[in-house]
Amino acid sequence: MHFFAKQSRGLLHKVAGSAIISLSVGLLAGAQAEDVKVGVLHSLTGTMAISEITVKNATLLAIEEINKKGGVMGKTIASVIEDGASEPATFAQKAQKLIEQDKVSTVFGGWTSASRKAMLPVFERLDNLLWYPVQFEGNECSPNIMYSGAQPNQQILPAFDWAVEKGFKKYFLVGSDYVFPRTANLIVKKHIENDKLTLTGEEYVPLGGTDFSSVINKIKAGGPAIIFNTINGDSNVAFFKQLAAAGLTAKDYPVMSFSIAEQEAKAIGPKLLEGSYAAWNYFMSLPNTSNKAFIKAYAAKYGKEQLITDPMIHGYVDVYIWKAAVEKAKSFEPDKVRKAAVSIKEITTPMGKIKFDANQSLYQTAYVGQLKADGQFKILWDSKKNLKPEPYDALAFPGKTCKP
């Protein structure tokens, strides 16, 4: 199986036009009787559009590539695209519409944990399958969700362990005010306490918030050695600009981010972020052969200025794993596809060899990178092997496990 993706030509400031075009294409694609419909549900507007539009694009490109090679079980994949509009309630409404009205066989989408949790009861009640491509806080298992994004032990905790190893002893936690940052920071605090380190502060801002003056004053007062950043969406632009304006440089106040990848860095300005850290399961700078081929094909069609990020890769790969699972199950039925997906052996992708565990989360490698002035990440550390996904952190949620 070959994994090559290309990103939309559209720049972030042209997202509205891109969304309208994509919606039109998706709606037109759903009319043929020989098609199999799939939903693509991401925020094309609102504070999360900065991150989600390109995941949508990568998903569509995987669909396009598969269709060019004959589709799935003789059927052409028809994408039905909906805009979650950065609102959890809208995600739930659109998920129900895709399943009940459009009769999609599966859905690819979501970013924030708030959106995923809003959709979860819809997928369980209607017995459909959501492919969720973004890192999250764990503490959840549903038979109706395939969690390809990182669990805490595959992103947040490896970054924490790296910081401890580097000698960082004082931590400040800042995040958007919803479930992922709060639960992620609950886990981090348990580990700070366990390792007898110091928490200098913990602050949250509304999703989409732009005023960080109070947060920055508290960072200054606490004097942390490192800031753990779980801010999502375009709020990061305001956060880093205000850090710079306050004279808080990466040298004196390094930031470890969990939702800033290459495209967010470009939107914020790489020079503002230079020297800061991020933890992911994929960086565009990965040197493996599959990634080099991926980037070459991507650049050939969409230009060298386009960027590829971790959630885009997960969104792209999810489509291919769904295809493989459908063909193994010889069925589009969610229950049969789910069982087939967790039985597929390792496959090679731009992020390395991956496979789903029985708990419907992905085995994957953890990386810590440092942003350079050119907007790419220098990889400083990796876990050397794929980490088994553990939805429940033993310190934060003792005794809890997923029962597949």
Side-chain angles (χ1 to χ4, degrees):
M1 187 180 298
H2 297 283
F3 288 80
F4 299 103
K6 308 120 187 150
Q7 187 179 350
S8 167
R9 295 178 186 272
L11 297 174
L12 289 173
H13 66 274
K14 295 181 179 178
V15 296
S18 172
I20 292 169
I21 292 169
S22 298
L23 281 165
S24 300
V25 171
L27 291 172
L28 288 170
Q32 302 298 321
E34 66 273 17
D35 291 345
V36 56
K37 292 182 182 180
V38 302
V40 181
L41 178 52
H42 280 290
S43 295
L44 310 180
T45 56
T47 190
M48 293 308 303
I50 185 175
S51 298
E52 291 191 59
I53 283 177
T54 49
V55 183
K56 179 265 296 180
N57 291 342
T59 303
L60 292 180
L61 286 163
I63 291 169
E64 177 186 317
E65 291 172 359
I66 291 168
N67 282 340
K68 285 181 178 178
K69 295 179 180 179
V72 181
M73 286 179 43
K75 293 181 179 289
T76 299
I77 307 171
S79 56
V80 184
I81 303 162
E82 290 291 349
D83 180 10
S86 305
E87 293 289 343
T90 304
F91 270 93
Q93 293 163 5
K94 294 300 179 68
Q96 182 168 335
K97 181 258 184 188
L98 285 167
I99 299 166
E100 290 191 325
Q101 296 182 30
D102 297 305
K103 309 295 184 184
V104 299
S105 64
T106 199
V107 177
F108 302 96
W111 181 294
T112 68
S113 289
S115 70
R116 187 193 70 254
K117 285 188 175 294
M119 290 188 285
L120 187 151
V122 176
F123 281 90
E124 290 187 342
R125 176 169 55 86
L126 299 177
D127 194 24
N128 204 288
L129 194 59
L130 171 67
W131 298 77
Y132 179 70
V134 185
Q135 93 288 2
F136 71 117
E137 72 286 350
N139 199 26
E140 177 183 299
C141 299
S142 171
N144 296 90
I145 299 180
M146 303 299 296
Y147 303 90
S148 69
Q151 297 280 359
N153 74 300
Q154 298 171 313
Q155 186 203 26
I156 295 166
L157 291 178
F160 175 76
D161 290 342
W162 175 86
V164 172
E165 184 181 324
K166 291 298 178 182
F168 293 107
K169 297 184 183 302
K170 298 172 69 177
Y171 294 76
F172 191 98
L173 311 179
V174 59
S176 299
D177 193 4
Y178 72 100
V179 63
F180 164 59
R182 285 192 174 274
T183 309
N185 288 336
L186 170 65
I187 294 168
V188 171
K189 284 187 293 183
K190 291 288 186 182
H191 285 262
I192 289 172
E193 180 183 0
N194 187 68
D195 290 355
K196 296 179 171 55
L197 302 171
T198 302
L199 177 66
T200 67
E202 178 182 7
E203 293 293 323
Y204 298 92
V205 295
L207 195 62
T210 58
D211 183 3
F212 289 91
S213 55
S214 175
V215 173
I216 289 171
N217 286 337
K218 290 175 181 178
I219 290 172
K220 285 181 177 179
I226 191 167
I227 300 163
F228 268 36
N229 169 29
T230 48
I231 297 168
N232 264 256
D234 55 13
S235 295
N236 275 301
V237 179
F239 177 60
F240 279 95
K241 285 185 175 179
Q242 289 169 41
L243 278 178
L248 304 187
T249 66
K251 181 180 178 181
D252 296 323
Y253 292 89
V255 179
M256 174 71 75
S257 295
F258 299 100
S259 291
I260 290 180
E262 291 84 348
Q263 72 181 20
E264 289 84 6
K266 181 179 180 180
I268 294 168
K271 289 187 177 180
L272 275 179
L273 296 175
E274 185 180 359
S276 65
Y277 305 108
W280 287 105
N281 305 104
Y282 168 90
F283 286 115
M284 193 173 173
S285 54
L286 281 177
N288 70 68
T289 302
S290 294
N291 192 42
K292 288 178 179 178
F294 177 100
I295 292 169
K296 183 178 179 181
Y298 173 87
K301 186 165 186 179
Y302 292 104
K304 294 180 179 179
E305 298 304 313
Q306 301 300 313
L307 299 172
I308 305 162
T309 67
D310 175 291
M312 287 172 61
I313 291 292
H314 283 83
Y316 179 82
V317 169
D318 279 350
V319 183
Y320 276 97
I321 298 177
W322 169 78
K323 172 185 182 291
V326 166
E327 291 173 344
K328 184 169 185 176
K330 295 182 172 57
S331 173
F332 292 102
E333 292 181 21
D335 187 56
K336 293 180 180 179
V337 171
R338 169 173 51 244
K339 291 175 181 176
V342 300
S343 69
I344 294 172
K345 294 182 179 180
E346 280 188 335
I347 55 177
T348 300
T349 78
M351 58 186 289
K353 291 183 177 181
I354 58 172
K355 68 175 182 178
F356 273 101
D357 187 64
N359 62 25
Q360 296 178 204
S361 293
L362 209 62
Y363 278 83
Q364 49 198 324
T365 301
Y367 299 94
V368 171
Q370 186 172 37
L371 195 75
K372 302 186 295 183
D374 64 0
Q376 289 294 316
F377 286 90
K378 177 184 178 181
I379 297 172
L380 303 178
W381 174 90
D382 71 83
S383 60
K384 306 300 182 187
K385 64 179 182 179
N386 278 346
L387 302 175
K388 177 181 172 62
E390 298 174 1
Y392 292 97
D393 177 66
L395 277 179
F397 307 105
K400 288 192 175 183
T401 59
C402 270
K403 295 181 180 179

